[in-house]
Amino acid sequence: MLKNYFKIAIAVLKRRKFFTFISLFGISFTLTILLVMTAFIDKVVNDDYPDKKRDRSLYISHIELRGKESMNSSGLSYSYISRFVNKMKTPVKIAVSSGFGSTNTYVNNRKIVINYKYANAAFWEVLDFEFVEGKAISKQQTDNAERVTVISEDMKKEYFGDDNSPAVGKYIEADNIKYRVCGVVKSLPITSYTLYSDIYLPITTSKTKLDADKGYMGNYSAIVLAENSSDVPKMKKEYDNIVAKLPIPGKEWDHLYSHADTYIEGYVRTGNEKSSGMVYAFTAITLFALFVMLLPTLNLVNVNITRIMERSSEIGVRKAFGASSKTLVYQFIVENLILTFLGGIIGVVLSVVVMYFINDAKLIANLNLSLNFTVLAYALFTCVFFGLLSGVYPAWRMSKLNIVLALKA
């Protein structure tokens, strides 16, 4: 039966080539947009370089003070991390790093913008950076406040040139200070904003005294690592208990919020306790997907109704010979799914081409989009959803055709 439906569907598609082109174009173009978006989200969310221990890590990066008429939210101060986060007993390691700052330097009369981040020694143990050259900054170097640095592969090429000579042992100047390169790591895309930097410096070389600010807010964040994934809920509960006992600074505030988040929760956190970043992100993605699919769906519904009206005599004959409305609805939905899957195949091919050009153009450095099983699963779901959405109403309209009127058409 399905084989016959497939033959009928192909014959119908050949009958009115312009309508077929409009239908296939709408489906493939829509699917291309959704697949590229899905590939981008999948890359941002599921790419676990360099935090491959994500399943047993929690990210502490925000603190919020809220009063009756005001709210203040920021990163953590180093003093806050030292006094409260570092006192946690469940984590086996605690990585501390600053947000990245920027400075300009000049090489051969050419200005280079360098993004830098300060990190403690545990940062290199919690995270699994891929070293192209050299090694991480050691605890001894950090304790001694040695002016050493780990740089990204991109910064190596930009600063020292693309001659493939080793960068380890050379010096790089940032903010009028020279640092000796001890390692080169595979570059991160800027979308990994919590870990991204061009150069990483020992936290003890920071120009500002780490414990100078005794307040809660600052420019630092922490990653707490559990012994195993089963300890993560315990680690989260321990931090929640610490926060619950914190004294609230200042009379203008009456609530204090801070969370040990999973990677996704921390990534989309808005900095406003009353507004869930997860809800915002999910709502925005859903509305965008529905909007992108709405217009092609309406177009395809109209095209399908036109096709059905053209086939009214065929429908009348089949009904006269005993075909039930249920059978006819099933046939037309299957035909529409076949059309949708043909458009889906074209959409997948177009998506690969578009991703190739996006990667080649390096619109976001080091963010390489690709098709994988997750993205293809979304493509399959979209095809089925799109096919059913645009085929059910026309099929229902067709099933209600009067036999006599259909035969006269």
Side-chain angles (χ1 to χ4, degrees):
M1 186 66 71
L2 287 175
K3 184 178 180 181
N4 291 333
Y5 288 167
F6 183 78
K7 289 180 178 179
I8 294 172
I10 297 300
V12 171
L13 293 178
K14 290 181 179 179
R15 187 183 302 172
R16 295 292 295 272
K17 294 181 174 61
F18 181 69
F19 281 168
T20 300
F21 170 77
I22 293 176
S23 300
L24 290 177
F25 176 79
I27 295 167
S28 59
F29 184 74
T30 300
L31 192 63
T32 298
I33 294 174
L34 293 176
L35 281 183
V36 172
M37 182 186 75
T38 304
F40 175 80
I41 295 172
D42 180 68
K43 183 68 176 178
V44 170
V45 170
N46 291 327
D47 186 9
D48 62 355
Y49 172 75
D51 48 343
K52 296 180 180 180
K53 305 183 186 80
R54 193 179 291 178
D55 63 322
R56 52 192 182 100
S57 299
L58 290 175
Y59 300 75
I60 307 173
S61 55
H62 290 92
I63 190 165
E64 177 185 329
L65 292 171
R66 183 175 287 275
K68 293 180 180 179
E69 298 180 352
S70 58
M71 185 269 286
N72 192 10
S73 176
S74 79
L76 311 174
S77 70
Y78 186 82
S79 172
Y80 176 93
I81 294 174
S82 297
R83 287 184 290 158
F84 306 115
V85 180
N86 284 348
K87 297 296 187 290
M88 293 176 67
K89 297 178 181 179
T90 310
V92 292
K93 295 286 183 182
I94 299 177
V96 181
S97 62
S98 67
F100 68 83
S102 296
T103 185
N104 297 329
T105 191
Y106 291 85
V107 177
N108 298 326
N109 296 319
R110 180 170 54 92
K111 186 175 82 169
I112 297 176
V113 178
I114 297 179
N115 296 312
Y116 61 91
K117 178 189 287 289
Y118 295 105
N120 68 349
F123 181 83
W124 302 103
E125 300 175 54
V126 172
L127 300 167
D128 295 308
F129 279 90
E130 182 181 325
F131 278 82
V132 180
E133 291 181 34
K135 57 185 179 180
I137 299 170
S138 68
K139 185 178 185 305
Q140 182 179 354
Q141 289 172 319
T142 302
D143 291 341
N144 294 338
E146 293 184 27
R147 289 180 175 176
V148 292
T149 180
V150 169
I151 68 174
S152 70
E153 201 171 9
D154 286 346
M155 180 50 57
K156 174 196 170 183
K157 292 177 182 177
E158 187 171 7
Y159 195 94
F160 297 111
D162 198 12
D163 59 0
N164 294 321
S165 61
V168 172
K170 294 181 180 179
Y171 286 83
I172 186 170
E173 185 175 313
D175 206 12
N176 298 317
I177 298 174
K178 288 188 175 182
Y179 298 89
R180 180 173 56 83
V181 177
C182 65
V184 180
V185 293
K186 177 184 172 184
S187 300
L188 285 170
I190 198 169
T191 50
S192 300
Y193 65 91
T194 56
L195 304 174
Y196 165 83
S197 188
D198 293 322
I199 67 172
Y200 300 86
L201 307 171
I203 200 167
T204 47
T205 61
S206 172
K207 286 188 174 181
T208 57
K209 292 187 67 175
L210 294 176
D211 288 317
D213 185 1
K214 298 298 182 182
Y216 292 166
M217 296 186 168
N219 188 37
Y220 289 88
S221 63
I223 304 173
V224 288
L225 180 70
E227 181 71 35
N228 50 64
S229 56
S230 63
D231 285 337
V232 170
K234 178 182 176 183
M235 191 162 61
K236 188 177 184 72
K237 185 177 180 180
E238 182 184 359
Y239 184 69
D240 288 342
N241 290 335
I242 290 173
V243 172
K245 297 175 183 177
L246 289 177
I248 298 175
K251 295 182 179 180
E252 69 271 31
W253 314 114
D254 50 33
H255 288 86
L256 183 151
Y257 302 100
S258 184
H259 300 281
D261 294 316
T262 62
Y263 179 79
I264 301 301
E265 289 172 337
Y267 193 90
V268 299
R269 186 166 289 281
T270 61
N272 186 335
E273 187 64 28
K274 292 186 177 181
S275 305
S276 170
M278 293 290 286
V279 172
Y280 272 132
F282 182 77
T283 302
I285 293 168
T286 302
L287 290 176
F288 177 79
L290 289 176
F291 178 76
V292 170
M293 284 195 291
L294 181 62
L295 293 179
T297 299
L298 294 175
N299 171 64
L300 195 55
V301 167
N302 290 328
V303 171
N304 285 340
I305 291 175
T306 303
R307 287 183 185 276
I308 286 170
M309 293 302 105
E310 289 179 345
R311 299 171 64 186
S312 57
S313 57
E314 173 196 334
I315 296 166
V317 170
R318 292 199 61 192
K319 279 194 168 186
F321 278 89
S324 65
S325 294
K326 182 179 179 181
T327 301
L328 292 172
V329 167
Y330 177 69
Q331 176 190 335
F332 278 93
I333 288 178
V334 170
E335 287 181 13
N336 200 61
L337 285 173
I338 291 170
L339 172 65
T340 305
F341 275 107
L342 288 174
I345 293 171
I346 298 171
V348 170
V349 174
L350 285 176
S351 300
V352 172
V353 173
V354 170
M355 289 179 199
Y356 171 79
F357 282 108
I358 290 176
N359 293 339
D360 190 59
K362 296 182 179 179
L363 298 179
I364 301 178
N366 303 304
L367 186 73
N368 294 313
L369 305 182
S370 62
L371 283 179
N372 54 36
F373 288 115
T374 302
V375 177
L376 288 175
Y378 279 111
L380 179 63
F381 170 79
T382 303
C383 284
V384 173
F385 180 77
F386 198 60
L388 291 175
L389 193 66
S390 61
V392 169
Y393 176 71
W396 177 81
R397 281 281 303 272
M398 171 274 303
S399 70
K400 297 299 180 182
L401 284 176
N402 183 277
I403 296 178
V404 177
L405 295 177
L407 289 170
K408 285 183 178 180

